[in-house]
Amino acid sequence: HTRYGTVTGVQTCALPISRGSTGEGASARSLLRAALAGEPVALTDDLVDRARSEGVAPLVAARLGLGHPRLTDFVRADAANSVVQDVGLERALDALRAANIPAVVFKGGALAHSLYASSALRPRVDSDVLVHPDTFGAACEVLEANGFARLPGVDSTLILRERAFQLTLDNGLRATIDLHCAMNNRARFAGAMS
């Protein structure tokens, strides 16, 4: 079953707990679920670690406050990373727009900006951008021409329908863009969602 709650006016879904879960991990997940539902929970090391590993430390802080030093550190790091990812996403979209290449933000980046009061409440390591398969090659060239370095990986749209790019900002921090030409990388499902 799943518990639901709201964080600053946004409907959120806490982590599902599988029936029959036992042990320390189940206890930490139960506490995390309670914290996200707004129930009073002590900020223990285990809870903070679980919140960080599940990617919900900012949501826990929004619910319970920054009453734990490591939670404060995690939230600050996630907020800084969110700014970096947002800057990279904005630059990528501006470059694609200037080249008349339509693009759609999806997955974590879209959720961060549409469902949360602040994109920092939805930690992410990259931003996913979808372009039409016919413009994929041109979109890759546009990103590279605008300072995005192609990251090593499979260089075939027949196998993977995405390429990763990284922009190093003036302060040395890096934003990552996953450029997709299909909603799903698996050949079996890619056409069904295009």
Side-chain angles (χ1 to χ4, degrees), residues 20 42-43 47 56 58 66 83 88 99 118 127 135 143 156 173 180 184 186:
L43 284 172
L47 178 63
V56 295
L66 295 170
V83 170
S118 164
S127 296
T135 63
L143 290 181
S156 169
L173 298 175
H180 299 255
N184 191 303
R186 294 184 178 169

Side-chain angles (χ1 to χ4, degrees), residues 91-101 135-148 165 179:
R91 289 191 187 171
L93 293 175
D94 286 347
L96 293 169
R97 190 176 305 113
N100 294 316
I101 297 175
T135 63
F136 186 71
C140 290
E141 291 174 10
V142 165
L143 290 181
E144 287 180 305
N146 282 274
F148 288 84
F165 294 86
L179 186 67

Side-chain angles (χ1 to χ4, degrees), residues 155-175:
D155 199 25
S156 169
T157 56
L158 295 175
I159 298 169
L160 281 181
R161 287 159 175 78
E162 72 176 272
R163 287 203 184 112
F165 294 86
Q166 198 166 69
L167 177 67
T168 302
L169 304 176
D170 293 339
N171 59 9
L173 298 175
R174 294 182 177 111

Side-chain angles (χ1 to χ4, degrees), residues 13-154:
C13 173
L15 304 170
I17 304 295
S18 60
R19 299 192 192 282
S21 296
T22 59
E24 188 176 313
S27 175
R29 278 182 82 100
S30 294
L31 286 173
L32 182 56
R33 185 177 67 197
L36 291 170
E39 298 172 17
V41 175
L43 284 172
T44 65
D45 288 345
D46 288 342
L47 178 63
V48 169
D49 290 341
R50 176 62 69 154
R52 177 62 172 189
S53 70
E54 297 287 348
V56 295
L59 292 174
V60 168
R63 281 301 205 186
L64 302 178
L66 295 170
H68 191 285
R70 282 199 352 259
L71 181 61
T72 301
D73 291 343
F74 292 155
V75 169
R76 284 183 181 151
D78 286 340
N81 182 62
S82 178
V83 170
V84 170
Q85 296 308 320
D86 287 349
V87 167
L89 177 59
E90 184 177 322
R91 289 191 187 171
L93 293 175
D94 286 347
L96 293 169
R97 190 176 305 113
N100 294 316
I101 297 175
V104 175
V105 179
F106 72 120
K107 296 171 63 173
L111 294 173
H113 288 279
S114 62
L115 296 180
Y116 296 88
S118 164
S119 63
L121 291 172
R122 173 52 167 86
R124 63 193 197 278
V125 296
D126 59 24
S127 296
D128 296 276
V129 176
L130 177 68
V131 297
H132 191 277
D134 293 343
T135 63
F136 186 71
C140 290
E141 291 174 10
V142 165
L143 290 181
E144 287 180 305
N146 282 274
F148 288 84
R150 189 180 300 199
L151 295 177
V154 176

